[in-house]
Amino acid sequence: KAGVTQTPRYLIKTRGQQVTLSCSPISGHRSVSWYQQTPGQGLQFLFEYFSETQRNKGNFPGRFSGRQFSNSRSEMNVSTLELGDSALYLCASSLRPGGNRANEKLFFGSGTQLSVL
Amino acid sequence: KQEVTQIPAALSVPEGENLVLNCSFTDSAIYNLQWFRQDPGKGLTSLLLIQSSQREQTSGRLNASLDKSSGRSTLYIAASQPGDSATYLCAVMDSNYQLIWGAGTKLIIKP
């Protein structure tokens, strides 16, 4: 069974540009969540999608957005890039067992390393 | 606001030793606590998940405990091996179903 796939693996952009990152979850997983990891702030939750609907959102500006498709694949978009957006962006998928989120195990992709120059 | 702290930030021990990594959190209203490992340039691998109603979980040489009332968790690694070298992260799922992360402990096992 294939794991969580994130593309591209590395990305270099300049300030002001926008970027789209992709995440394909494990087959059968319907929940996808996104995280930003930086040396200064560590790991921070961005947002979560389940059944094509955003279910949860972290404390990030509106420049960060995402969506989920009917096949559970997800994309996140960052517009008007800033230097501080340089980070490793991680995607995780889960089976989302009915109702019991306390037992929800996450499976992570290898991430997209974004550098903003 | 939930805050998660991991001590120590880095640890270097000889191969074969047993070791303990610590994680503390400020708000006991959690759904679970999870331990992950991260290898350089890679994503995270889930190690153990302890639901708020549980006290510990074990997987092979790993044992994690949870004391929700005191806001503490420990990850015990028995008979450490060089392959255990990685950064270990703990995270709690808060009342909003969001994972709040610690900064991690970088572990080096010397052969």
Side-chain angles (χ1 to χ4, degrees):
Chain A
K1 203 173 192 181
V4 178
T5 303
Q6 290 189 245
T7 57
R9 185 72 179 88
Y10 301 94
L11 206 49
I12 300 175
K13 292 285 187 180
T14 56
R15 279 181 300 174
Q17 288 187 310
Q18 75 167 19
V19 66
T20 299
L21 312 181
S22 178
C23 173
S24 293
I26 291 172
S27 178
H29 285 194
R30 297 170 62 195
S31 176
V32 173
S33 51
W34 289 87
Y35 301 84
Q36 181 195 65
Q37 186 176 31
T38 60
Q41 298 296 318
L43 267 159
Q44 298 183 86
F45 171 75
L46 279 158
F47 29 65
E48 179 201 5
Y49 287 86
F50 178 72
S51 293
E52 302 177 63
T53 303
Q54 187 179 91
R55 301 295 176 132
N56 217 337
K57 189 177 192 305
N59 190 25
F60 277 81
R63 299 185 298 106
F64 292 81
S65 63
R67 58 178 175 169
Q68 186 180 36
F69 302 94
S70 58
N71 62 358
S72 294
R73 189 177 72 86
S74 177
E75 290 181 346
M76 68 163 282
N77 183 278
V78 187
S79 62
T80 319
L81 283 166
E82 301 177 359
L83 296 179
D85 297 334
S86 296
L88 179 66
Y89 289 88
L90 292 163
C91 157
S93 74
S94 66
L95 192 57
R96 195 74 179 276
N100 183 16
R101 299 208 60 184
N103 199 32
E104 187 176 318
K105 186 175 178 180
L106 297 180
F107 296 83
F108 281 81
S110 296
T112 294
Q113 183 68 54
L114 172 65
S115 298
V116 182
L117 306 178
Chain B
K1 178 188 172 188
Q2 179 73 268
E3 293 183 359
V4 180
T5 303
Q6 290 188 247
I7 294 174
L11 184 62
S12 180
V13 301
E15 178 179 4
E17 282 199 4
N18 303 324
L19 56 99
V20 173
L21 306 182
N22 296 291
C23 173
S24 62
F25 48 96
T26 55
D27 188 344
S28 61
I30 63 171
Y31 284 103
N32 65 44
L33 184 143
Q34 304 183 44
W35 284 93
F36 295 84
R37 70 174 277 170
Q38 185 173 30
D39 295 281
K42 296 189 178 180
L44 283 70
T45 301
S46 177
L47 297 173
L48 292 164
L49 182 154
I50 312 174
Q51 296 184 54
S52 62
S53 59
Q54 299 173 329
R55 295 301 300 267
E56 67 175 349
Q57 284 288 335
T58 298
S59 176
R61 294 182 293 108
L62 305 179
N63 175 277
S65 67
L66 173 64
D67 184 342
K68 205 171 69 164
S69 61
S70 67
R72 294 180 181 179
S73 175
T74 60
L75 177 66
Y76 175 83
I77 302 177
S80 59
Q81 303 170 358
D84 294 330
S85 297
T87 296
Y88 289 79
L89 294 139
C90 78
V92 297
M93 180 176 281
D94 70 6
S95 55
N96 296 314
Y97 298 111
Q98 293 188 15
L99 279 180
I100 310 300
W101 298 82
T105 293
K106 184 174 182 179
L107 177 63
I108 297 173
I109 307 298
K110 298 174 288 186

